[in-house]
């Protein structure tokens, strides 16, 4: 859980970890609930205790493109909006009933200012996000739909097991019909 992750990534005392955890609020959200709407500033960072959240876009021609699916023990926000304080171009939605720990931007910055070691968590969050984004971009550029699906089956089978076909297709940047054809041929 969050406490374990903070212990692994930082050299904080028990008291400091307790203070950090007190800045997070526990919430439960229902499947399909939106936690961030487009054109809103991302003012919260979510840690997923249980469930799944997706970060997605809706294009001008109303296509839904999923940038990231986050599962247990993962942080999620619209990071550009969270950092820049500018309106987001993305949405965040619960894909499953989810249990989350939430920290506001103001409390997150307060922790950075009062507990310098907390920056190690910030770096972890940024590095994880950069790695995921780069990996996804690479797959979209270098792999066809079949290769992306096979890679997902090999490296992230939980996505295939837990997501609806429409969410899985949006994540792979393919149509639901293409996904159905891929599944029937494999």
């Amino acid at each position: 859980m969050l406490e374990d992750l903070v212990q692994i990534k930082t050299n904080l005392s028990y008291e400091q970890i307790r203070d950090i955890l007190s800045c997070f609020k526990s919430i439960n959200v229902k499947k399909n609930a939106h936690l961030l709407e487009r054109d809103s500033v991302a003012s919260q960072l979510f840690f997923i205790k249980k469930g799944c959240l997706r970060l997605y876009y809706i294009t001008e021609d109303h296509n839904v493109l999923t940038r990231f699916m986050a599962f247990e023990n993962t942080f999620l926000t619209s990071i550009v909006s969270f950092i820049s304080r500018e309106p987001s171009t993305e949405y965040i939605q619960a894909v499953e009933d989810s249990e989350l720990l939430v920290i506001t931007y103001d409390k997150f910055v307060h922790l950075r200012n009062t507990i310098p070691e907390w920056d190690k968590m910030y770096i972890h969050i940024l590095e994880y996000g950069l790695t995921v984004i780069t990996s996804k971009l690479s797959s979209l550029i270098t792999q066809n739909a079949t290769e992306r699906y096979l890679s997902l089956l090999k490296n992230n089978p939980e996505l295939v097991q837990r997501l609806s076909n429409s969410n899985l297709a949006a994540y792979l940047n393919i149509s639901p019909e293409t996904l159905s054809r891929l599944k029937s041929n494999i």
Side-chain angles (χ1 to χ4, degrees):
M1 301 279 284
L2 181 56
E3 182 175 355
D4 298 329
L5 183 60
V6 172
Q7 285 177 339
I8 291 168
K9 298 295 178 184
T10 67
N11 294 316
L12 293 166
S13 69
Y14 172 78
E15 292 77 21
Q16 288 172 313
I17 292 174
R18 189 187 68 232
D19 291 344
I20 288 166
L21 295 177
S22 73
C23 291
F24 284 82
K25 177 181 157 191
S26 183
I27 64 168
N28 293 317
V29 293
K30 295 287 185 191
K31 179 179 179 176
N32 297 322
H34 277 88
L35 301 165
L36 179 68
E37 297 284 343
R38 180 186 178 145
D39 297 324
S40 297
V41 175
S43 60
Q44 298 175 312
L45 175 66
F46 305 99
F47 180 81
I48 304 165
K49 290 172 58 177
K50 182 176 182 231
C52 177
L53 302 180
R54 76 174 175 145
L55 187 65
Y56 71 97
Y57 301 91
I58 298 179
T59 64
E60 287 184 15
D61 54 354
H62 305 290
N63 288 323
V64 175
L65 302 173
T66 299
R67 182 164 71 83
F68 186 61
M69 300 298 264
F71 291 95
E72 288 82 3
N73 300 316
T74 305
F75 284 99
L76 183 68
T77 191
S78 176
I79 196 68
V80 172
S81 176
F82 190 77
I83 293 169
S84 70
R85 313 309 305 140
E86 297 290 326
S88 176
T89 58
E90 304 165 305
Y91 299 82
I92 296 176
Q93 181 184 34
V95 175
E96 301 173 344
D97 289 348
S98 299
E99 296 175 23
L100 310 172
L101 293 175
V102 183
I103 188 169
T104 65
Y105 173 82
D106 292 337
K107 286 185 179 179
F108 190 86
V109 170
H110 172 74
L111 289 176
R112 291 191 65 211
N113 291 332
T114 58
I115 306 175
E117 185 75 10
W118 177 247
D119 271 353
K120 287 185 178 178
M121 279 307 301
Y122 186 44
I123 290 167
H124 166 73
I125 294 164
L126 294 174
E127 287 177 343
Y128 179 79
L130 180 62
T131 302
V132 168
I133 290 167
T134 302
S135 177
K136 178 139 189 212
L137 181 59
S138 176
S139 75
L140 290 172
I141 291 171
T142 63
Q143 297 177 324
N144 63 35
T146 302
E147 292 167 332
R148 288 196 305 272
Y149 180 67
L150 289 173
S151 178
L152 196 65
L153 278 174
K154 179 183 175 188
N155 299 316
N156 298 99
E158 73 278 3
L159 286 175
V160 178
Q161 295 164 359
R162 288 175 68 175
L163 298 179
S164 68
N165 280 347
S166 61
N167 280 331
L168 190 57
Y171 181 75
L172 291 168
N173 199 30
I174 59 176
S175 70
E177 296 78 20
T178 298
L179 178 60
S180 291
R181 281 193 299 276
L182 288 173
K183 283 183 166 185
S184 66
N185 292 332
I186 295 175

